[in-house]
Amino acid sequence: MVGAQCPPTTVRHSFSHARGERMTDGNDRAITLLVVDDQDLIHRLVQAAVESLASQLLLACSGDDALRTLEEEELPDGIVLDYSMPGKDGVETLQRIRELPGGAAVPVIMLTGWDQTAIRKAAEGLDVYCFMTKPFSPAALCRSVEEM
């Protein structure tokens, strides 16, 4: 087993940075990243990789959890989205996100352990910022988050 299944809930983590400052987008607004994956290990890896970049990290364990979170919260500055999850897969979840007011503008990194060619075709037209294959390099993920 790669990692424990995470419980069906959304968790919020806030990070404090050097000298207690929070990362901002240049407009003194906290940078928020939503991570959607059914594996707790992936949550922890993404959290460790982007801790220096994001002020807040929202963790969702399924597409439905992510959509509920997006109904209750402001849209995040970016989303890291797993393709293969129970229930709604990453493509179906992203389709629903793109339908939300402002959802078309949120950059998305899609993680997959599957053949990227098939996933890219399924996600065609959904404006995925980039695709990353699991296992992914934390440094590469950090660079992608920083650039999006």
Side-chain angles (χ1 to χ4, degrees), residues 44-138:
R44 288 182 281 146
L45 289 171
V46 172
Q47 182 176 346
V50 303
E51 188 172 13
S52 67
L53 300 176
S55 293
Q56 293 187 27
L57 195 63
L58 302 172
L59 305 175
C61 294
S62 69
D64 287 329
D65 283 345
L67 294 169
R68 273 192 297 278
T69 297
L70 294 173
E71 290 172 3
E72 299 168 1
E73 304 276 344
E74 275 187 42
L75 287 175
D77 299 293
I79 298 173
V80 177
L81 177 62
D82 184 27
Y83 169 73
S84 181
M85 297 179 287
K88 288 180 181 55
D89 67 21
V91 171
E92 186 178 354
T93 300
L94 184 52
Q95 288 169 333
R96 297 277 307 277
I97 290 169
R98 294 298 188 224
E99 294 169 358
L100 296 172
V106 179
V108 173
I109 295 171
M110 188 165 286
L111 301 177
T112 180
W114 299 86
D115 172 37
Q116 281 195 25
T117 305
I119 306 304
R120 285 176 189 268
K121 185 166 181 72
E124 195 171 318
L126 294 175
D127 196 26
V128 175
Y129 177 77
C130 73
F131 293 85
M132 298 189 82
T133 303
K134 294 178 186 178
F136 58 88
S137 157

Side-chain angles (χ1 to χ4, degrees), residues 8-44:
T9 185
T10 300
V11 178
R12 175 187 299 273
H13 290 276
S14 296
F15 303 116
S16 53
H17 297 281
R19 293 181 301 266
E21 297 173 7
R22 291 173 24 156
M23 288 288 294
T24 65
D25 64 0
N27 296 317
D28 275 345
R29 191 172 64 85
I31 295 172
T32 301
L33 189 65
L34 173 62
V35 180
V36 187
D37 199 295
D38 60 319
Q39 297 294 318
D40 183 60
L41 174 62
I42 300 299
H43 284 174
R44 288 182 281 146

